[in-house]
Amino acid sequence: MRIGLYFGSFNPIHTGHLIIANYVAYNTDLDKVWFVVSPQNPLKTSSTLLNEHDRFHLVELAIKDEPRLRASNIEFSLPRPSFTVDTLAYMGEKFPTQEFAIIMGSDSFQNLPRWKNYMHIVQHYPIYVYRRPGHDITETYGARIEVLDAPMLDISATNIRQWIKEGKSVRYMVPDNVINYIQENNYFR
């Protein structure tokens, strides 16, 4: 089975994430897409980061009825911050019969040379890159990439958190069951 790994904080997961994952799951040669919830991204710091178990639960809620999508908390048991190369090595040991690929936006792909051991990643894993406005793919860094024109929504988790804090509606940007859980638990207030 070929599995695409979609890494992120998902703080919170929103419709933009879901559209990309669904598009990749049904429009590439990948069989499934796993949302890998990252406890701590080494290239980002955030004082507004919801607990990783809560973010994982929100991802599970968002995708519960979609058989090709899965939430993964594999990085929760790994050292922090989370480095993709270490996660990939661990997943290879834990799931030796699976083939893994990475899914990322062209904005993240531009940062690839900043990643720990990125050359190992590009030599051993295909990368599915979805285009993000303003972030052209001008360099491949030696990676085997498939460029995707997935439908894009200009939705930001940062804006969603701010609107929740201000008491504004985020309906249609976040699945209803996720919004309800966020409100019930007073997240991002």
Side-chain angles (χ1 to χ4, degrees):
M1 183 173 301
R2 293 178 45 79
I3 298 167
L5 303 175
Y6 188 9
F7 292 87
S9 300
F10 305 112
N11 189 43
I13 190 165
H14 56 67
T15 305
H17 297 132
L18 297 167
I19 288 171
I20 290 164
N22 193 68
Y23 178 86
V24 172
Y26 286 94
N27 293 282
T28 67
D29 60 350
L30 297 172
D31 299 303
K32 291 190 182 281
V33 171
W34 292 2
F35 286 88
V36 181
V37 180
S38 300
Q40 181 184 352
N41 180 327
L43 299 179
K44 290 183 182 178
T45 56
S46 176
S47 58
T48 60
L49 199 60
L50 194 62
N51 174 288
E52 64 257 27
H53 298 284
D54 295 325
R55 289 183 284 121
F56 175 75
H57 183 64
L58 293 176
V59 172
E60 285 186 314
L61 284 174
I63 64 172
K64 68 181 180 110
D65 295 324
E66 177 47 61
R68 290 196 182 191
L69 304 181
R70 175 180 163 184
S72 172
N73 61 2
I74 196 124
E75 289 191 340
F76 294 10
S77 60
L78 297 176
R80 295 179 193 190
S82 305
F83 293 101
T84 302
V85 70
D86 299 331
T87 304
L88 290 166
Y90 182 70
M91 292 185 100
E93 293 171 14
K94 191 166 171 81
F95 305 101
T97 62
Q98 311 298 349
E99 288 181 48
F100 293 105
I102 300 169
I103 301 165
M104 69 174 69
S106 56
D107 53 339
S108 295
F109 186 73
Q110 289 177 341
N111 289 322
L112 194 62
R114 295 177 54 202
W115 291 22
K116 177 183 174 184
N117 297 343
Y118 87 94
M119 287 304 296
H120 176 82
I121 295 170
V122 301
Q123 290 168 357
H124 294 94
Y125 299 93
I127 302 175
Y128 292 73
V129 183
Y130 56 91
R131 294 182 201 271
R132 299 282 307 257
H135 300 278
D136 294 333
I137 302 163
T138 58
E139 172 67 50
T140 65
Y141 310 113
R144 291 173 287 147
I145 67 170
E146 182 172 332
V147 179
L148 307 172
D149 289 310
M152 297 299 304
L153 288 179
D154 189 14
I155 297 178
S156 154
T158 302
N159 290 343
I160 289 170
R161 291 191 303 273
Q162 184 61 38
W163 294 330
I164 291 170
K165 185 177 182 181
E166 294 170 1
K168 296 177 180 174
S169 173
V170 294
R171 188 160 189 217
Y172 308 115
M173 289 177 266
V174 178
D176 288 344
N177 59 347
V178 173
I179 293 171
N180 293 339
Y181 196 83
I182 287 171
Q183 290 172 339
E184 288 167 13
N185 290 279
N186 211 26
Y187 294 156
F188 308 117
R189 291 273 177 193

